[in-house]
Amino acid sequence: MIRAATPADLPQLCTMVHALADYHGDTATATVADLRRDLFGATPWLHALVFAEPRRLLGYAALTQLARVQYGQRGMDLHHLYVCTDYRGDGIGKALLAASLDYARHNNASYVTVTTLPGNAIAQAFYLAQGFQAAPTTGLRYALNLVDKT
């Protein structure tokens, strides 16, 4: 069953966030408190959907808002899509993606983006098979760390 994440899901959700980071060779530092703030805080930053069995979550999708201000368009970025290793290939990813697209439409988004690593051919093929089109970025992107390093 797919449903919106709840505060009770946060420990399992955090474990899956870390598993996705590990899969990509990254080290996650997100905590349950971080997820609580970003999903259920005073200013929610993310929306998460989970694929839930009675006692266990098998996957999740996390979306965040985007905009193309010059076109008056709202969008969503499918920031994460994860399915537990033992359940891949069972249609859970497709179901989470479909629910994510429904959520975006319900919130008046006119587009959804997703990013894959250049070498992740499995994810690229998955998104192409679901109707996404390659949308390479143009221009340079810059970042500024706002966290005090002292």
Side-chain angles (χ1 to χ4, degrees):
M1 165 178 103
I2 296 178
R3 58 171 174 73
T6 67
D9 296 325
L10 292 176
Q12 289 184 69
L13 187 57
C14 192
T15 297
M16 289 189 291
V17 166
H18 283 251
L20 180 59
D22 289 345
Y23 177 81
H24 290 295
D26 199 2
T27 302
T29 58
T31 65
V32 168
D34 294 330
L35 293 175
R36 180 174 288 107
R37 174 200 63 207
D38 292 342
L39 291 166
F40 307 109
T43 307
W45 209 262
L46 299 168
H47 180 75
L49 299 167
V50 295
F51 191 101
E53 283 191 335
R55 295 183 184 163
R56 181 175 176 211
L57 301 181
L58 302 183
Y60 76 97
L63 297 115
T64 191
Q65 298 174 16
L66 297 173
R68 293 178 181 152
V69 176
Q70 70 276 27
Y71 302 123
Q73 295 179 337
R74 287 178 162 192
M76 291 257 162
D77 182 64
L78 181 59
H79 188 63
H80 278 188
L81 179 64
Y82 177 80
V83 176
C84 294
T85 306
D86 294 345
Y87 296 91
R88 292 182 186 157
D90 291 346
I92 294 171
K94 286 181 185 179
L96 282 165
L97 177 59
S100 297
L101 298 176
D102 286 345
Y103 176 81
R105 285 185 196 98
H106 178 76
N107 284 279
N108 299 311
S110 59
Y111 67 97
V112 173
T113 63
V114 64
T115 303
T116 68
L117 292 175
N120 193 344
I122 293 170
Q124 292 164 18
F126 172 78
Y127 291 116
L128 288 171
Q130 303 311 307
F132 282 77
Q133 297 177 0
T137 57
T138 57
L140 298 175
R141 187 171 186 102
Y142 297 88
L144 177 66
N145 187 354
L146 297 176
V147 178
D148 185 11
K149 294 182 179 182
T150 58

